[in-house]
Amino acid sequence: MTTYAFHPSSDGRARGLVRKPMLIMLVLLGLSFCAALTALLCVADDLNDKADLRSGLLLGKAFASREESMRFHLSDNAEWGEAYNNLHRTLNLDWAWRNQNLGESLFKTFGYEGVFVIAPNGETRYSVLDGALRRKSFQAWLGQDALNALKQRLQQSDGKAIARLVRVGDQLALLGAAWITPGGDHSVKMVAGPPSIMIFVDRLTPAKLASAGAEYGIKKLSYADAPPEGTGEHDRYLASALGGVVTLKWQSDDPGGAL
């Protein structure tokens, strides 16, 4: 009868030989999982950065489109022989207000809260505020003196319509200005001296801002406190304007969160 001797030490060695590769495999799997998770988080963060950068670019286009629209409206109203005769040579309220050539329709149709005619000496000659005829100084109504800056830019544009964002308090307003000229009307006799200036003001209220953002797919666009330096927030846009910078924020699309 043949007998076999059982040696516990050899069984332990066998288990050790099996356990060691399993531990290596588990460690490798864990490292692979951590690497994959890290890569996924990096990709998600990159997607969010790109989405917010795209929103910021779209927001810049939204402002540019608004400025272009205001320049067009100003050119249409300021480069006009009748406007030159009835607003610069003399102030004709019947023509301007009662006949609605420069009246409440600019507020009702385009949302311009302020419409001003500035005389060559800098005084406000005519003003329509929130669609109503009210005589008030442009500087006093706006809350700051932006007239000199507008005059300088008009000198550079040779009187052609300009539009510029202006900081008013913690919010923004879009100012447009143009010299009042006869335009292409050669029947109008020009008078010597500096020109009068037509100014449109579009206050970018929180409601207007949210609406403008929604048109470009930017959700919940609003004003924000300036982010602390070094925070690296991307869902923000620093709107450079006369009088300072205003910080805007929105709800990020967060494609990385969906991933």
Side-chain angles (χ1 to χ4, degrees), residues 168-206:
V168 182
D170 292 328
Q171 297 186 3
L172 291 169
L174 182 61
L175 301 188
W179 286 348
I180 299 176
T181 68
D185 191 345
H186 300 293
S187 66
V188 175
K189 184 178 179 180
M190 296 186 67
V191 296
S196 295
I197 299 174
M198 186 179 293
I199 296 176
F200 291 170
V201 183
D202 180 11
R203 288 186 180 274
L204 297 180
T205 61

Side-chain angles (χ1 to χ4, degrees), residues 17 26-27 35-36 52 56 65 100 110 121 153 208 213 229 234 244 256:
L17 290 173
L26 288 173
V27 170
D52 290 334
S65 175
Q100 289 301 304
F110 306 115
N121 63 4
R153 291 181 176 273
K208 278 187 182 180
E229 291 186 13
H234 298 282

Side-chain angles (χ1 to χ4, degrees), residues 16 18 64 209 214 226 254:
V18 173
L209 201 64
D254 193 24

